[in-house]
Amino acid sequence: MQKDLGNYRKIYAKSELEEKSISDNPIELFQKWFYETEASDGIDEPNAMTVSTIGLDGFPKSRVVLLKKYTHEGFIFYTNYDSEKGKAIEENPNVCVSFFWPNMERQIIIKGKAEKVAANLSDGYFESRPDGSKLGAIVSNQSSVIPSRSVLEEKLKNLEKEYESKEIHRPNNWGGYIVKPISVEFWQGRPNRLHDRIRYTLVGIDWKIERLAP
Ligand SMILES: Cc1cc2nc3c(=O)[nH]c(=O)nc-3n(C[C@H](O)[C@H](O)[C@H](O)COP(=O)(O)O)c2cc1C
């Protein structure tokens, strides 16, 4: 079976990225682009991002997670610390995070170091989740091999009974990571494949800004 996709071709012409109209700080440009994506109404989950880690097997692995907060310090997502990504980060905190917002013809690629957020921050976020999501986090030994779906459903049923009138606390192996960026690249599609690529690189406490060839 095969399919040739050579004719898939799109003209990118929605916007441009000029040095004269960007801020000195990539988080501010990230925020501008994030707001524009939210307002565009063309993306279901603008906060969905791909996180790539270097696995214990030496291979990179990418998966989608949800950005739950960003600050000048970095980008925060929540997960299971014992998952495949958790074990990878424990061994090698260097990660890559990327966003692709097709309706905006934009991509952002962030390289950085992931570290666990403070326990009280994870507690606060866990607390804000609906009970079903809280129990889901407890039920699932994320990334482990399981014999069947029914094992999970059975476990959830039992937990629902157990926690009927009890407070659900965050398990220790579930919490947030903050990715502290060392470089942030903004890609804006342009006609004739002459796309704009602007990369911010952290040098000391300042950001160096460079244009990259598309
Ligand atoms: C739209 C979307 C959002 C997701 N959000 C999260 C998330 O915030 N946290 C998480 O741990 N997994 C999330 N997942 C599941 C991950 O992609 C992945 O299956 C899971 O984290 C296990 O990855 P790992 O085995 O590589 O550690 C999401 C998946 C999708 C498609």
Side-chain angles (χ1 to χ4, degrees), residues 59 65 85 101 105 115 142 170:
F59 282 89
V65 300
K85 77 181 89 47
W101 294 316
E105 302 173 353
E115 47 185 79
Q142 196 177 54
R170 175 179 69 88

Side-chain angles (χ1 to χ4, degrees), residues 12-26 28-34 36 101 104-109 184-191 194-200 209-214:
Y12 302 110
K14 286 201 171 149
S15 191
E16 55 186 45
L17 186 58
E18 294 287 346
E19 285 84 342
K20 61 178 184 324
S21 55
I22 58 174
S23 67
D24 296 342
N25 187 296
E28 280 162 31
L29 182 52
F30 176 86
Q31 167 140 302
K32 178 173 181 288
W33 277 24
F34 193 82
E36 286 172 1
W101 294 316
M104 308 300 285
E105 302 173 353
R106 285 172 173 172
Q107 169 182 227
I108 302 177
I109 302 169
V184 187
E185 181 188 327
F186 294 85
W187 183 99
Q188 175 72 62
R190 299 291 305 273
L194 294 186
H195 313 302
D196 288 328
R197 294 177 66 193
I198 299 286
R199 183 181 63 196
Y200 292 73
I209 298 177
E210 293 164 306
R211 175 171 288 269
L212 304 178

Side-chain angles (χ1 to χ4, degrees), residues 55 76 96 128 157 173 177-178 186 190 200 211:
I76 296 175
C96 183
S128 75
K157 239 195 266 162
N173 66 351
Y177 283 107
I178 181 166
F186 294 85
R190 299 291 305 273
Y200 292 73
R211 175 171 288 269

Side-chain angles (χ1 to χ4, degrees), residues 60-78:
K61 184 184 172 190
S62 306
R63 79 288 281 160
V64 174
V65 300
L66 296 177
L67 176 67
K68 287 293 169 180
K69 187 174 180 165
Y70 63 87
T71 68
H72 271 282
E73 289 245 296
F75 302 84
I76 296 175
F77 67 93
Y78 289 88

Side-chain angles (χ1 to χ4, degrees), residues 148-164:
S148 66
R149 182 176 176 86
S150 52
V151 169
L152 284 181
E153 286 170 353
E154 196 57 32
K155 217 168 145 188
L156 180 62
K157 239 195 266 162
N158 293 337
L159 278 179
E160 278 168 350
K161 269 192 220 125
E162 187 185 331
Y163 282 96
E164 221 160 28

Side-chain angles (χ1 to χ4, degrees), residues 70-171:
Y70 63 87
T71 68
H72 271 282
E73 289 245 296
F75 302 84
I76 296 175
F77 67 93
Y78 289 88
T79 193
N80 186 306
Y81 289 141
D82 296 330
S83 64
E84 191 176 343
K85 77 181 89 47
K87 288 177 177 150
I89 290 169
E90 189 69 31
E91 193 64 26
N92 182 347
N94 295 345
V95 300
C96 183
V97 171
S98 70
F99 293 83
F100 173 41
W101 294 316
N103 67 327
M104 308 300 285
E105 302 173 353
R106 285 172 173 172
Q107 169 182 227
I108 302 177
I109 302 169
I110 300 156
K111 285 188 200 168
K113 295 206 178 279
E115 47 185 79
K116 287 179 183 171
V117 302
N120 63 341
L121 202 67
S122 292
D123 288 339
Y125 175 65
F126 189 79
E127 198 45 50
S128 75
R129 287 161 61 102
D131 282 356
S133 305
K134 286 181 183 167
L135 292 178
I138 297 172
V139 162
S140 171
N141 294 326
Q142 196 177 54
S143 314
S144 63
V145 175
I146 51 172
S148 66
R149 182 176 176 86
S150 52
V151 169
L152 284 181
E153 286 170 353
E154 196 57 32
K155 217 168 145 188
L156 180 62
K157 239 195 266 162
N158 293 337
L159 278 179
E160 278 168 350
K161 269 192 220 125
E162 187 185 331
Y163 282 96
E164 221 160 28
S165 51
K166 272 205 289 187
E167 216 182 309
I168 311 168
H169 292 294
R170 175 179 69 88

